[in-house]
Amino acid sequence: MVYPEVKSWMSKRDFDTRCKHEVDSVLGMYATAQAGQDLCVLPRSLGDAASALVGVSADLPEIETDLWMVTHYDLRKTARVRALMDALGTSIAPQIVLQNRH
């Protein structure tokens, strides 16, 4: 698993031994949960947007991680990449502000 905070959190609660799958990305966890194959830890923005998923716990501040938007240095100022980065930033920013108010 790519996220050591999540792996440690799961291990301390013995969840790691009960998981049927081990994936190395948030999208992998999301796909597994959407398929009804396992429980997983997801960012609230993904879980809340999926009507087929049901949250089973409160927020877990002890495993919060940063969200990075990265691009290749040579492409960062191209119109396509800049437009995507601006659109993602605009759509994600309100969620970050709301989550930080809790």
Side-chain angles (χ1 to χ4, degrees):
M1 180 177 288
V2 179
Y3 305 96
E5 298 89 355
V6 175
K7 187 168 185 131
S8 174
W9 182 87
M10 290 182 69
S11 178
K12 287 177 186 173
R13 289 155 182 81
D14 199 34
F15 291 145
D16 57 336
T17 60
R18 296 187 282 176
C19 287
K20 301 175 205 162
H21 301 86
E22 185 168 337
V23 296
D24 61 358
S25 73
V26 171
L27 292 179
M29 290 186 274
Y30 178 77
T32 301
Q34 283 280 79
Q37 296 177 351
D38 219 338
L39 293 175
C40 66
V41 177
L42 289 174
R44 180 161 299 285
S45 58
L46 274 179
D48 287 351
S51 61
L53 299 181
V54 176
V56 295
S57 76
D59 288 345
L60 305 169
E62 64 270 25
I63 60 172
E64 284 183 358
T65 59
D66 294 331
L67 175 64
W68 288 56
M69 292 193 301
V70 297
T71 185
H72 190 278
Y73 182 81
D74 294 342
L75 299 176
R76 66 190 168 104
K77 293 186 179 180
T78 63
R80 291 184 306 204
V81 172
R82 189 75 254 155
L84 175 64
M85 299 287 268
D86 290 345
L88 288 173
T90 300
S91 68
I92 293 171
Q95 294 177 30
I96 294 170
V97 170
L98 287 175
Q99 289 177 4
N100 288 335
R101 289 186 182 169
H102 292 260

